[in-house]
Amino acid sequence: MDGPVIEAHRPAEPVWGLAVVGVHPDHRGRGLGRAVIAPGLAAADTEHVPAFLETQDPTNVPFYESLGFETIGHVRLPEDGSPHWAMLRPPR
């Protein structure tokens, strides 16, 4: 349940949404995450639309920043207190 706490940080304008992406820990650091994400970012750039994602893992934030995402919201969810980042990447 995220409700208004998260909704307040979601863009109102059209965006390309980055859904769940994961790489098994044994295979991280090989560029697999970038390879999976790159086509979606290229499509967003072609359409001149920002890309948006949300993450609850603080270790993901620097990775997404390296792809051009910026944190536009950071909250702790009320029921379990877990952190939540909303991140946006302007089109290139």
Side-chain angles (χ1 to χ4, degrees), residues 3-63:
V5 173
I6 300 303
E7 285 295 325
H9 297 286
R10 291 184 177 144
E13 71 272 8
V15 295
W16 273 68
L18 181 63
V20 177
V21 175
V23 175
H24 189 280
D26 292 345
H27 301 288
R28 290 185 184 153
R30 299 180 186 177
L32 298 173
R34 286 180 192 280
V36 169
I37 295 168
L41 295 179
D45 291 344
T46 297
E47 294 189 14
H48 306 289
V49 176
F52 175 76
L53 64 84
E54 297 172 347
T55 185
Q56 291 77 39
D57 186 343
T59 64
N60 289 340
V61 174
F63 170 70

Side-chain angles (χ1 to χ4, degrees), residues 76-88:
R76 287 210 171 265
L77 299 180
E79 292 184 28
D80 65 7
S82 64
H84 186 94
W85 287 263
M87 302 184 78
L88 190 71

